Amino acid sequence: MTEQAGAEGETRSSSPTHRRFLLEAAAVSLLALVMVFLLYGGSWLSGKSIFRGAVQEQYYLMGQYAFDRQIERDLAEGFFPLWNPYNALGTPLLGNMLSGVFYPLKFIVYASDNLFTRDLTIVIRLLLAALFTHFLARRLCLSLAPSLLASQVFAFTGYMKMFVNENYLNADVLLPGLMLFTLRLAQRRKALDFAVLAALVFAVINNGHPEAAFYTLLFPAFTAFFCIRKKGVLSAPMLFSLAFASGFLICLPMILPFLEYWFRGYHFHVPGAGFFHYSARRWISLASPWFFGRAPAGAAFLDPPSITWAAEASGVPPYNSTNLPWLAPAFGMVPLFLALVGASKIRRLSRIEIGMIAFSLFFGGVMFGLPLFRLIGYLPVFNLSGNFKHPHPGLALCAAILAGRGLSFITGGKANATLVSNVLMVFLSAIFIMVIFHEPLPGGPRFLNAYSVSMFLVTLALGAFLTWFAMNRVQGRERKLLAMSASAAALAGSMFCLAADSYQQPPRDPDYESRLEAGGALDWLERNPVLDRVYISQDISPPNVNILYSIADLRVMDGVNDRRLVRAINAINGHGRAEAGDYWYRETGYLQPAPDRLGHRLLELFNVSYALMDGPLPYNRSISSLLANSEILSPGPGHVGPARLPVLEGTAPSLLQHPPSRIDWTPAAGEESGEEEDYFLRLGPAAMAPAAPLEEDGAWLMAFSDGMIYARHIHPGFHPGDKGPLTVETVLAVGTEGKTGLTLSSLPASSPAYDQVGWADFRLEPGRSIGSAPWEELVRGETWLYRDPKAMPRAFPVGEAIILSESDALAELVSGMTDPRKRVILSLGDEQSEGNVYSSGGEGPPGVVESIEHGSNRVTVEADMWRPGWLVLSDLCYPGWKARLKGAEKRVARAYFLLRAVTLKEGKQKVEFSYEPWSFRMGLWAAIAGLVSLAFFIGAGPARRALFEKPVSPT
């Protein structure tokens, strides 16, 4: 195949024979598998997996894992996976795009869900990325070696490795395939190309993440509309639009429920998210972020984000306020050098490649927050998107193709030695300049490390070799051998950079399941199966992991949340919209009641009967507050900080104070009222269990405030009882004129070896006492289980109702003026008057719920009603839920602002709730009709020949 690029239009390429196609596919796959083994072989050989090796956003990873398990259960029972009953008050599952129910590769996992099949799907995704990129490069007239180079550069760019186990890649790996078949369809107009392009659109939209789908489709759409010359009636934009419409139509069973959920909910991203960007001074991380040092295990970046722009702010936000202190995923030094060589001869590039460069330059400016480029954050879709992250696969594909083009220019004699050497010197000089003028990072400049030096040397050696090759004027067989050597060296150098880059990202498996299963609390719940909701501490696991155990957790981790649920959770937390955005987006990463709000009356109404915590209730923020408002004296940062110490028969978050150290605490400015304030203090010395037997001579722990409060020498190695706490409780009268409120001190006896001691279950809070009421302790250990006896059951009858507007209903519930056990608050209807009270007469409840069966899409409640009343089900009232009594449909009313209720007459009755959303039914029929029409349209000979097989004039 000869290299040929038309500067005025599309490229031409001769299609390889079937045998050659298979040989090239085998070569690409073999190289990709070599890279996979280089990157992840160590994990496999040590018994670990790619899927469980978290690099970033482990919360979403576990969310997908749990969603898949529920989908498998529903499919095994013969149901469409429409509803998730295990998070919040119930949420749409199919309508939650994050579930990615219909993504084709997920059916491998549905058939057999284990770590092998999950790793297999990850490897298949990487192979698809490499194969599609290779044949896209061939379509753009690159020869074999440059196409192989491009395939590996895209498939193993930093973004792919950073999110290797993420649902983003479900869409991102298909980007070169979309580009390839967009070009094929525009050039050949074959029905098969049309069908494949529509299928790829279907897969991309069902990937499990809307932003990844949007950006993946945006690049080929831009190519079709602006980079391919139009020919005849069915131009490239028209053909792409028809293929997109066909794929979109088949996706309607998911899209319509998603849109219904979207318009009823709040997006996870706070307003202004479209302005978030990388610092322009950190562009050098595109060569590699690890010039700045090695990342901590499980982290993709060196320091956490700190976003300060207020959610209600207007106008263009200040640059630094939305500057993410992360580092952009790398393309690799050698690939970036070759891409710069390719871009330097822009007149020899095709129209498609120039379009790629234009797309990349624009969205590169968006990613790095350059002036004017940032204004895209005002446009619909872009205003809520992670524009700093999701355009990266498009930039990576452009870099990969240009790297292949740069190699082809060098080996084909179109780039002379002067050009190659100049690009090399400018590129390396720019990196050296960043060594001096880079943006300061935690820990100071760390450019000169083993990794960065090796990258410099490899790039410099390859650049010198390619410069020498460009200078060499030999011809014939010797020239071919040198060209093969240059190609092999470029491919090896690129693979070295990509593999070495990954070793700077050590994986980490948080293993949330083990944390949940520790301590016996989960065993208790499984031995006593209940339908009641459980609040699980964020320190134990993120939301959605509970789905694995069929446990209902009020917390939820979705991209969209029902707006009534959000308002209710905000009311529980006492947050306004701006505070709520900070809390459930920036602070915790998901929607949840704050752990120190357990016991709120709305949580009791929502059937939160159990709390699974990592320490004793009430929830304790004392340690973080103490550390934030204290002066700490110690030899090093590891002497003072949070730790787990023994408490009773279990463990709990505690304050480590390794001797010698001292903590001087003064109340924060916001806590000062100008008068003395009483603080309740609870403390008790303890030693970390692993260190206790190794103690040589013990340690001293002391507490002071106006005088000595507590002093004790603990020596758990000599007195085993000392490893547990000897709790002291007292009340401190703390002044507010800069006076130190509390001093904690630790000293070694003589040797500080193994003095891992501190204060167990440390509490310092305003007030005169701390109690856990109304919670009853059930299990104590590494995790602690509590029960709230005041929590209301999942379903209950009520004999009186009042009609209120939605805002009044929520205010009434929060204020506690209405007892939900006696009166149900119904939302104002068309034929009802606000404030009307309806009563069935009599005292006490009108009946009793005898049984309840709760499934994914169905709930059955059997009630014995002694007189007419209302049956309340503490699940989300959402469109599509229907109620039937003896086969007759009953109206589902909205109760208590967001729950479900139906009216019942006297007698024993069985109410069946079922989720039958119109959006799914309509989408399913539309998809079936679309598939039949598409098959007929493509299969019909005259239509196929007229529309797809019409001759196309060459470019």
Side-chain angles (χ1 to χ4, degrees):
M1 183 181 295
T2 61
E3 295 182 23
Q4 188 172 355
E8 297 300 323
E10 301 82 17
T11 58
R12 290 191 291 118
S13 66
S14 57
S15 299
T17 63
H18 181 68
R19 182 171 179 274
R20 186 169 181 176
F21 172 84
L22 292 178
L23 288 175
E24 290 189 16
V28 174
S29 301
L30 181 60
L31 274 177
L33 290 175
V34 169
M35 279 296 297
V36 168
F37 187 79
L38 288 175
L39 296 174
Y40 308 112
S43 296
W44 285 334
L45 293 176
S46 61
K48 300 177 183 178
S49 73
I50 309 176
F51 176 79
R52 295 302 298 263
V55 176
Q56 193 197 17
E57 300 195 23
Q58 179 76 0
Y59 284 2
Y60 278 104
L61 166 66
M62 297 309 298
Q64 298 302 308
Y65 181 41
F67 284 150
D68 290 347
R69 287 292 178 87
Q70 184 183 344
I71 293 166
E72 293 157 19
R73 289 194 292 257
D74 289 350
L75 292 176
E77 295 175 5
F79 295 103
F80 279 109
L82 301 179
W83 188 258
N84 171 17
Y86 298 114
N87 289 103
L89 300 172
T91 64
L93 180 59
L94 180 61
N96 173 10
M97 191 180 269
L98 293 177
S99 62
V101 174
F102 296 132
Y103 185 72
L105 287 181
K106 292 183 72 172
F107 284 88
I108 299 174
V109 174
Y110 298 159
S112 178
D113 193 350
N114 52 60
L115 289 178
F116 172 78
T117 55
R118 289 189 175 274
D119 279 6
L120 177 63
T121 58
I122 290 174
V123 173
I124 291 174
R125 290 192 311 185
L126 297 174
L127 288 177
L128 286 175
L131 287 167
F132 279 138
T133 306
H134 173 80
F135 289 108
L136 172 63
R138 295 295 261 163
R139 174 62 50 178
L140 294 171
C141 295
L142 287 176
S143 56
L144 179 61
S147 298
L148 288 174
L149 173 71
S151 70
Q152 305 309 302
V153 171
F154 177 74
F156 298 99
T157 189
Y159 190 91
M160 300 298 180
K161 293 174 292 186
M162 186 176 296
F163 302 111
V164 68
N165 47 17
E166 253 290 357
N167 56 347
Y168 304 156
L169 264 62
N170 288 339
D172 297 330
V173 298
L174 301 179
L175 173 58
L178 286 168
M179 295 287 290
L180 171 63
F181 283 93
T182 297
L183 295 180
R184 286 170 59 98
L185 184 60
Q187 294 169 356
R188 305 193 321 163
R189 294 187 186 173
K190 296 291 184 181
L192 178 61
D193 296 332
F194 182 88
V196 173
L197 184 56
L200 288 173
V201 170
F202 168 84
V204 167
I205 295 177
N206 281 283
N207 81 94
H209 200 279
E211 294 165 83
F214 172 72
Y215 269 105
T216 301
L217 292 169
L218 185 63
F219 201 170
F222 170 81
T223 302
F225 277 82
F226 300 105
C227 303
I228 301 177
R229 290 201 307 185
K230 303 176 182 178
K231 313 181 191 75
V233 177
L234 281 181
S235 62
M238 181 64 71
L239 288 170
F240 179 84
S241 299
L242 287 173
F244 172 81
S246 300
F248 187 86
L249 184 65
I250 304 171
C251 292
L252 286 180
M254 182 275 295
I255 290 175
L256 290 182
F258 169 72
L259 292 177
E260 181 181 45
Y261 192 25
W262 177 276
F263 289 112
R264 288 182 51 83
Y266 289 125
H267 191 276
F268 179 75
H269 283 177
V270 295
F275 288 100
F276 297 168
H277 58 85
Y278 300 121
S279 168
R281 298 181 66 184
R282 297 190 182 190
W283 66 269
I284 200 64
S285 62
L286 292 175
S288 175
W290 312 128
F291 286 120
F292 302 98
R294 198 166 190 239
F301 307 113
L302 294 180
D303 45 337
S306 178
I307 306 166
T308 58
W309 192 42
E312 72 276 8
S314 60
V316 180
Y319 181 87
N320 289 331
S321 65
T322 56
N323 175 22
L324 297 168
W326 298 340
L327 302 174
F331 300 142
M333 278 195 70
V334 168
L336 193 55
F337 158 63
L338 293 172
L340 292 174
V341 173
S344 64
K345 297 188 70 66
I346 195 165
R347 291 189 177 183
R348 287 188 173 271
L349 299 180
S350 69
R351 189 186 185 97
I352 306 298
E353 291 163 329
I354 293 174
M356 286 184 171
I357 294 176
F359 183 93
S360 300
L361 288 177
F362 178 81
F363 282 102
V366 172
M367 288 171 58
F368 287 97
L370 300 183
L372 299 182
F373 292 88
R374 300 177 63 216
L375 297 180
I376 198 174
Y378 283 117
L379 297 181
V381 181
F382 294 103
N383 62 336
L384 293 175
S385 177
N387 301 317
F388 67 96
K389 174 169 58 177
H390 294 290
H392 197 278
L395 277 66
L397 181 60
C398 177
I401 296 297
L402 287 177
R405 183 64 69 191
L407 178 61
S408 71
F409 284 159
I410 296 171
T411 57
K414 297 182 176 65
N416 57 37
T418 302
L419 175 65
V420 177
S421 60
N422 286 343
V423 170
L424 178 65
M425 290 301 102
V426 169
F427 178 53
L428 295 182
S429 298
I431 295 178
F432 275 117
I433 291 172
M434 288 298 294
V435 173
I436 303 172
F437 296 106
H438 76 287
E439 183 172 353
L441 293 170
R446 292 170 289 179
F447 279 80
L448 294 180
N449 52 62
Y451 169 74
S452 63
V453 171
S454 66
M455 293 299 100
F456 272 114
L457 293 177
V458 168
T459 307
L460 183 61
L462 178 65
F465 176 67
L466 294 179
T467 301
W468 173 82
F469 171 82
M471 293 173 60
N472 200 303
R473 297 301 180 184
V474 297
Q475 299 297 326
R477 182 178 180 83
E478 186 177 354
R479 177 73 178 181
K480 290 182 179 180
L481 289 175
L482 285 176
M484 292 175 59
S485 300
S487 298
L491 182 59
S494 297
M495 294 175 69
F496 174 81
C497 287
L498 296 170
D501 185 35
S502 181
Y503 292 140
Q504 297 297 109
Q505 264 180 326
R508 178 182 66 89
D509 181 3
D511 196 9
Y512 292 120
E513 295 103 310
S514 295
R515 187 79 179 96
L516 268 172
E517 294 167 1
L522 189 65
D523 291 340
W524 190 96
L525 290 172
E526 291 178 339
R527 288 195 307 269
N528 303 272
V530 293
L531 293 173
D532 297 337
R533 292 190 172 89
V534 181
Y535 179 94
I536 301 177
S537 169
Q538 63 186 11
D539 296 312
I540 296 177
S541 81
N544 295 6
V545 183
N546 55 288
I547 298 175
L548 300 174
Y549 305 93
S550 300
I551 293 175
D553 184 359
L554 187 63
R555 306 174 307 149
V556 60
M557 182 177 60
D558 287 342
V560 180
N561 292 293
D562 184 89
R563 65 184 61 217
R564 291 187 179 87
L565 173 68
V566 173
R567 289 179 61 188
I569 298 299
N570 291 348
I572 292 171
N573 293 336
H575 289 155
R577 186 173 181 183
E579 295 173 301
D582 285 340
Y583 179 68
W584 61 273
Y585 178 74
R586 295 173 177 139
E587 183 176 338
T588 61
Y590 44 83
L591 183 64
Q592 70 157 2
D596 47 7
R597 304 291 286 183
L598 290 176
H600 193 281
R601 58 179 62 91
L602 280 182
L603 296 182
E604 295 175 355
L605 173 62
F606 294 160
N607 182 233
V608 180
S609 302
Y610 297 90
L612 181 58
M613 311 300 291
D614 71 332
L617 280 179
Y619 183 77
N620 183 13
R621 293 182 182 268
S622 300
I623 296 173
S624 59
S625 176
L626 175 83
L627 296 177
N629 298 299
S630 299
E631 292 185 8
I632 299 174
L633 301 175
S634 68
H639 280 60
V640 176
R644 295 194 69 85
L645 296 177
V647 173
L648 300 174
E649 291 85 8
T651 62
S654 305
L655 177 63
L656 175 69
Q657 194 172 4
H658 181 82
S661 63
R662 173 173 166 167
I663 303 172
D664 291 329
W665 170 78
T666 303
E671 297 172 348
E672 298 180 4
S673 61
E675 300 177 357
E676 284 193 348
E677 186 173 4
D678 289 342
Y679 276 79
F680 177 86
L681 173 65
R682 177 192 294 172
L683 51 78
M688 296 183 71
L694 304 174
E695 278 273 14
E696 295 182 359
D697 51 10
W700 279 96
L701 286 173
M702 294 158 284
F704 306 87
S705 176
D706 287 343
M708 177 74 71
I709 298 175
Y710 185 89
R712 183 178 178 87
H713 176 262
I714 62 171
H715 190 180
F718 184 72
H719 297 291
D722 283 355
K723 66 182 178 182
L726 304 172
T727 304
V728 173
E729 298 181 356
T730 186
V731 176
L732 302 180
V734 179
T736 59
E737 296 180 358
K739 176 183 175 183
T740 299
L742 179 68
T743 294
L744 301 175
S745 177
S746 65
L747 292 172
S750 59
S751 169
Y754 300 105
D755 284 348
Q756 303 296 324
V757 297
W759 306 97
D761 191 24
F762 176 87
R763 296 177 184 269
L764 179 66
E765 301 177 13
R768 287 188 170 271
S769 65
I770 297 177
S772 61
W775 297 93
E776 298 176 350
E777 182 184 305
L778 298 177
V779 176
R780 66 170 60 158
E782 190 172 342
T783 56
W784 302 61
L785 182 64
Y786 291 85
R787 185 177 73 88
D788 182 0
K790 296 173 62 179
M792 301 185 68
R794 194 68 171 261
F796 56 92
V798 182
E800 186 174 285
I802 184 172
I803 311 300
L804 294 176
S805 65
E806 287 190 357
S807 58
D808 290 342
L810 183 59
E812 187 89 356
L813 288 170
V814 173
S815 67
M817 296 177 64
T818 296
D819 185 352
R821 292 170 175 79
K822 298 179 180 179
R823 175 184 287 183
V824 59
I825 301 175
L826 301 178
S827 295
L828 183 64
D830 295 336
E831 300 178 357
Q832 299 166 326
S833 298
E834 184 172 1
N836 283 4
V837 177
Y838 302 87
S839 176
S840 60
E843 296 291 334
V848 64
V849 171
E850 296 184 332
S851 68
I852 177 172
E853 295 180 5
H854 209 291
S856 292
N857 302 328
R858 298 179 182 275
V859 182
T860 302
V861 182
E862 294 185 3
D864 185 3
M865 301 296 292
W866 309 318
R867 62 180 187 273
W870 289 264
L871 175 68
V872 178
L873 180 65
S874 60
D875 288 358
L876 183 68
C877 187
Y878 191 84
W881 277 101
K882 301 182 182 297
R884 292 182 175 86
L885 182 63
K886 297 181 180 179
E889 188 170 326
K890 291 187 65 65
R891 177 178 177 270
V892 179
R894 181 175 294 109
Y896 303 114
F897 182 65
L898 74 170
L899 305 182
R900 303 176 211 157
V902 293
T903 57
L904 293 181
K905 298 180 180 179
E906 185 177 343
K908 289 193 174 184
Q909 300 173 71
K910 182 178 181 180
V911 183
E912 295 181 347
F913 295 88
S914 60
Y915 185 51
E916 305 169 18
W918 68 268
S919 53
F920 174 70
R921 295 199 306 272
M922 181 180 293
L924 186 60
W925 284 113
I928 293 173
L931 281 172
V932 172
S933 301
L934 183 62
F936 176 79
F937 182 67
I938 293 177
R944 186 182 67 248
R945 286 191 295 271
L947 295 175
F948 296 112
E949 297 181 2
K950 188 176 181 179
V952 180
S953 59
T955 304

